[in-house]
Amino acid sequence: MPASSLSSSTLPWFALQTRPRWERYVSNALENKGYEPFLPLYMCRRLWSDRIKEIEFPLFDGYVFCRLNLEERRTPVLTTPGVRQIMGIGRIPVPIPDSEIDAVRSIVASGLAAQPWPSIQVGQRVRIRLGSLAGVEGIYAASKKRHQVVVTVELLNRSVAVEVDQAWIEAAGPTRLPAVV
């Protein structure tokens, strides 16, 4: 356990960015150093040339969560092989709310099929990647259970909305519409 005036369960969670595919190594190394890491995993089926195999992958590619006291023990974390940085705003590490870590822990512990999912926001430019509209780009619009992609003909200043399965779309760029006031 980390030598700390706070008990481990009261320490805040931080996200550590790792080198690609080093998540397990970083998690094990931190545990050996006395920290409490959390590496959520999910099962994924991969097709090999002769069989289908189930493999565990990190739910958050390139990240490991860890409880730590930044004032007392930041350097041993940052010098762990594979750790790139402690995530935050600028150079200031920002803790992750316990409620978010608890939610991820509950999902992993449930045994239900979980997988990484892109965080697509309403108003973000998206591309349809499956179906007869594959390759079409537009703006993501959603309301309750409906997921729509809006395609605009700029010259005519007219738009068309088409309802698609959310799994068919992917982010196409950082462009977002301005908020309507």
Side-chain angles (χ1 to χ4, degrees):
M1 281 307 214
S4 171
S5 57
L6 300 170
S7 74
S8 178
S9 64
T10 61
L11 292 174
W13 287 101
F14 289 90
L16 308 177
Q17 185 182 34
T18 68
R19 292 178 58 185
R21 295 181 297 281
W22 277 60
E23 300 89 356
R24 288 178 202 264
Y25 179 84
V26 168
S27 180
N28 291 336
L30 289 170
E31 194 166 17
N32 290 337
K33 288 183 177 186
Y35 291 95
E36 182 185 347
F38 173 49
L39 176 60
L41 302 170
Y42 75 102
M43 295 300 290
C44 183
R45 298 178 82 172
R46 295 293 171 152
L47 177 63
W48 294 48
S49 60
D50 61 339
R51 65 189 180 283
I52 295 175
K53 189 172 181 178
E54 287 203 5
I55 304 172
E56 278 187 326
F57 287 103
L59 202 50
F60 297 94
D61 215 15
Y63 296 95
V64 172
F65 302 103
C66 186
R67 283 191 191 270
L68 57 113
N69 185 340
L70 291 180
E71 286 90 37
E72 293 181 15
R73 296 191 64 197
R74 179 188 297 207
T75 304
V77 170
L78 291 173
T79 58
T80 301
V83 172
R84 287 193 167 165
Q85 66 178 330
I86 300 172
M87 298 303 294
I89 299 173
R91 294 188 179 268
I92 301 170
V94 175
I96 296 175
D98 285 344
S99 60
E100 292 179 12
I101 297 293
D102 291 343
V104 173
R105 281 185 184 268
S106 295
I107 289 168
V108 171
S110 74
L112 297 172
Q115 64 184 5
W117 197 259
S119 181
I120 297 176
Q121 305 294 321
V122 171
Q124 184 175 351
R125 179 163 282 293
V126 295
R127 179 181 308 107
I128 300 173
R129 59 186 181 93
L130 296 173
S132 60
L133 297 175
V136 171
E137 289 190 16
I139 303 297
Y140 179 64
S143 62
K144 296 186 182 176
K145 294 182 181 178
R146 297 176 58 197
H147 304 281
Q148 298 177 327
V149 174
V150 178
V151 176
T152 302
V153 178
E154 299 286 336
L155 183 65
L156 302 178
N157 197 25
R158 299 276 190 243
S159 299
V160 176
V162 61
E163 191 169 331
V164 296
D165 189 314
Q166 188 174 12
W168 290 10
I169 62 175
E170 64 186 0
T175 310
R176 295 196 57 195
L177 291 175
V180 178
V181 188

